[in-house]
Amino acid sequence: METADTLPPTPGARLQAVLCTAAFVLLLAGTNATTPLLPVYRDALGFSSLTVTLTFFVYVGALVAVLFLAARPAIVRRAPLMLLAAVAIALAGDLLLATGSVSGVLAGRALAGISGGVGTGAASALVVAAIGARGRAVSATGNLAGAVLGTAASELVLQLTGTGAVATCFHLHAAACAALALPLAASLVARRAVNRRLIRTAPVERTDMRPILRRHRGALLSGALAWIAISACIVFLPTYFLDHRLPVVQALGIPALLLASLAAQLSSPALARRLPRLSGMLPMALGIALILAAARSGSTPAGVAGFVLVGGGAGFAYRCALLRLTGATSPAAQGRLASLYAAITYSVAAIAVLLAGMLAQVAGAGPVTTGLMIALAITAFLVRPVAARAGPAGHG
């Protein structure tokens, strides 16, 4: 069977891989740009707590629904069109988000979720079609790269422009989407015949993907646990360390976590050669233990180090699980599995965060956060035997 691995590398193929990866990172950067702006929505624009919460769940709901739809063979087969549509949808969402109104922000967040859902499988399929096995982890690595870029850029614009960042962030993102659209379209048109051959859907790929998910349920469990840890840290720990009067940990913790996650994914090939049994679960558990110890002792270095360990372990585990699921699949199957993997892990994380938030309304944020972190650490430690690992055997 013809694959990108059997074809000679060409400048056009490499350009497609770069542009499709850039498009996916840009899509995810746009969805994460809202995070630093949430206090502005609440304090300067008068959004209620319910409305601020809805900005998260509208996005996640749209994202997960579209990810499940995007796993259908008929959708993956049209990956080039889907990725271009995702960029256009993201641009439209930016214009709505830039209005700063409740209706505009909620509608824009829904479109951001749709664009992320449409783009995940499409970008993954197109990168694998261009450069083969080297591109299998793009949906995991691009996710974290987008989170780092979007959060950091939005925070920088916020510091420079104040409340003007509500519009400026999304105008800049819309401009970036428009600038990328033309070269991306040109690249995909130039390689349309090759992409059509490589992203065809063979009969076996039109079958149910659930047996693959069941066969690799340990990997799916460790990937979901990694995304729960990242989501829980982002949602609960800044306030947790504010209450514990550790402002440096509050300010640096999440950026350190995201950067460590990205660094662990980018360095994972080297780690796989040196530590083939590494899964990421143990660093996650140790990092959470350090975070809890820092909150109790008031140690800033321990707190920041804990975030680094959690981020590195979770990012590494998330990538390993995706590689275990996709194995040596074709670009079409890669796109379907990448969409399903993202849909499942995002859904589980959103449910976990929502339940913890509801419990915090009754029992208090501090005790619930402590209990959630302890539960995550214990679960990560227990999941180690079945988690996806760095070496070839761990990737199935």
Side-chain angles (χ1 to χ4, degrees):
M1 179 179 176
E2 185 183 45
T3 68
D5 293 305
T6 64
L7 295 175
T10 66
R14 288 190 286 267
L15 179 61
Q16 175 176 303
V18 169
L19 289 174
C20 291
T21 300
F24 183 63
V25 170
L26 187 61
L27 293 176
L28 272 293
T31 65
N32 284 277
T34 307
T35 302
L37 302 178
L38 294 180
V40 178
Y41 289 155
R42 182 190 61 198
D43 299 335
L45 301 183
F47 285 22
S48 67
S49 297
L50 176 60
T51 302
V52 171
T53 302
L54 284 174
T55 64
F56 173 74
F57 287 104
V58 165
Y59 161 70
V60 172
L63 173 66
V64 169
V66 174
L67 281 168
F68 279 117
L69 289 174
R72 299 177 63 181
I75 301 296
V76 175
R77 204 162 49 229
R78 295 172 175 82
L81 179 60
M82 292 298 102
L83 186 56
L84 290 171
V87 174
I89 293 167
L91 194 156
D94 287 333
L95 299 180
L96 287 169
L97 285 161
T99 65
S101 66
V102 171
S103 58
V105 169
L106 293 179
R109 288 292 280 166
L111 288 182
I114 293 170
S115 70
V118 170
T120 296
S124 186
L126 286 165
V127 173
V128 172
I131 60 173
R134 290 174 295 162
R136 292 199 180 280
V138 67
S139 60
T141 303
N143 197 332
L144 269 301
V148 172
L149 176 63
T151 303
S154 180
E155 182 65 39
L156 176 62
V157 173
L158 180 61
Q159 294 301 319
L160 293 175
T161 66
T163 57
V166 169
T168 304
C169 281
F170 298 107
H171 285 152
L172 290 173
H173 188 262
C177 288
L180 181 62
L182 184 59
L184 176 63
S187 172
L188 294 175
V189 169
R191 282 179 49 85
R192 62 188 181 279
V194 177
N195 287 331
R196 192 178 299 117
R197 290 200 312 271
L198 295 178
I199 311 179
R200 65 182 182 270
T201 307
V204 68
E205 291 158 2
R206 290 197 291 268
T207 60
D208 193 350
M209 288 288 174
R210 284 177 293 184
I212 297 176
L213 298 177
R214 284 195 295 269
R215 187 163 64 249
H216 300 302
R217 55 186 175 272
L220 197 58
L221 174 61
S222 59
L225 186 63
W227 205 251
I228 292 172
I230 290 173
S231 302
C233 287
I234 291 172
V235 172
F236 295 113
L237 290 187
T239 303
Y240 188 69
F241 279 102
L242 175 64
D243 293 341
H244 283 83
R245 296 180 176 83
L246 288 170
V248 175
V249 181
Q250 178 199 357
L252 298 182
I254 299 306
L257 179 143
L258 293 174
L259 286 171
S261 295
L262 179 59
Q265 291 200 8
L266 293 175
S267 62
S268 60
L271 287 172
R273 290 191 295 270
R274 293 179 175 85
L275 300 167
R277 300 297 297 166
L278 183 64
S279 70
M281 292 292 104
L282 186 58
M284 275 176 54
L286 292 174
I288 292 171
L290 269 179
I291 284 171
L292 294 174
R296 185 174 181 84
S297 66
S299 171
T300 293
V304 175
F307 275 101
V308 170
L309 279 174
V310 172
F316 188 80
Y318 196 75
R319 183 184 189 276
C320 286
L322 176 63
L323 291 177
R324 165 79 77 87
L325 282 173
T326 55
T329 57
S330 71
Q334 167 82 28
R336 294 184 65 193
L337 286 167
S339 291
L340 286 171
Y341 177 64
I344 292 168
T345 53
Y346 292 175
S347 298
V348 172
I351 291 169
V353 169
L354 175 61
L355 291 176
M358 293 170 62
L359 186 59
Q361 294 291 326
V362 179
V368 169
T369 301
T370 300
L372 176 61
M373 290 295 112
I374 291 173
L376 284 171
I378 293 173
T379 307
F381 186 81
L382 295 177
V383 164
R384 289 179 305 125
V386 299
R389 299 187 183 279
H395 290 157

